[in-house]
Amino acid sequence: MPDPKPVLIDADPGLDDLLALVLALRSSALDVRAVSVVAGNVSVDACAANALRILEAMDIDPPPVFRGCAESLAPPVRRAGHVHGADGLGGVAHAWPVRRLRVEKAHAADAIPDLARRHAGALTLVAIGPLTNVAAALQRDPEGMANLREIVAMGGSGDGRGNVTPRAEFNFYADPQAARIVIRSGLPVTLVGLNVTEQALLSRKRFHRRLAAMQEGPLRQLLLGATGPYFDFAMQRRGKDACPLHDPLAVAAAIQPDLVQTRPMVCDVADEPGAARGMMTAQPAEGDPDREPGASVAQVAMGVAVEPFLDLFLNTVCG
Ligand code: RIB
Ligand code: CA
């Protein structure tokens, strides 16, 4: 068994963030060195409190949590309380008071490059919310960020589809300027977008069957109690009682990269206000002779091994 991969998870918990954080923290393949939170699904303060609630519900020695940006680079902001609950935790946050953990004093945009520098090329940043913290870190300390091994981000879509508008995915819509800064950073970036995450559907029935066999305790109670609205929203939107595991798939791509098939693509994100806001474009990079200088090539996930991913997710989260 190789040494666990050191990672930092930047999130906006959020219900699929909850599932992604549990997957990362229970995976023996990852060493979660820190969690940072960013405004996205709900406010940054609500995200910070939810991150602490999730860590307290798990019987682990928790990583530090850093609070990040409260506003995207390109206001107006859009939240997703209709998907994740106004509290970001399916409406049950009130039943999970934060008892012992606190966020760190440092801002996430300082903590992320500091941690990258301390891990000298070994740290993977898994970003599963709007990329505001990552962009701020790149602006504050590009040398520190150059120490990152890679960035794996849930965002956009390899086929241009959207879930906020027909062409814009939430994380890129919420902060298109940040997404553009990250994609143009020159760092190794892997994008896990809706074209693959919407194939990674977990049925409520299968999830509940595995939860029923899970050891009783606070984590099982939280997973069962919080995730109902996420399945309900998926049922309303798609007519199927199965939810897309957007953020968990990005974490799984860091755990086992061959779960997704990637392709080098020249990517961009529309960051001007209006109907195109947050729209991602991606053109195959192979043999692109007239690629504009400074163009941004990212590894874009274009395929996913759905059953192996769902098995990894369920065996790790509910095992
Ligand atoms: O489009 C899905 C993404 O937006 C996920 O990260 C979800 O948590 C929301 O933030
Ligand atoms: Ca998220």
Side-chain angles (χ1 to χ4, degrees), residues 10-18 20 38 40-41 84 127-130 154 169-171 246-247:
D10 188 71
D12 61 335
L15 292 175
D16 59 329
D17 303 72
L18 157 65
V38 63
N41 288 318
H84 302 270
I128 53 176
M154 192 280 138
E169 176 278 327
F170 177 83
N171 289 334
H246 301 298
D247 294 342

Side-chain angles (χ1 to χ4, degrees), residues 101-127:
L101 299 180
R102 295 291 178 268
V103 293
E104 303 294 321
K105 287 189 173 45
H107 189 284
D110 296 320
I112 294 170
D114 286 351
L115 203 64
R117 192 178 270 111
R118 276 191 275 125
H119 284 75
L123 186 72
T124 293
L125 169 54
V126 182

Side-chain angles (χ1 to χ4, degrees), residues 40-51:
N41 288 318
V42 289
S43 73
V44 70
D45 288 332
C47 288
N50 289 340

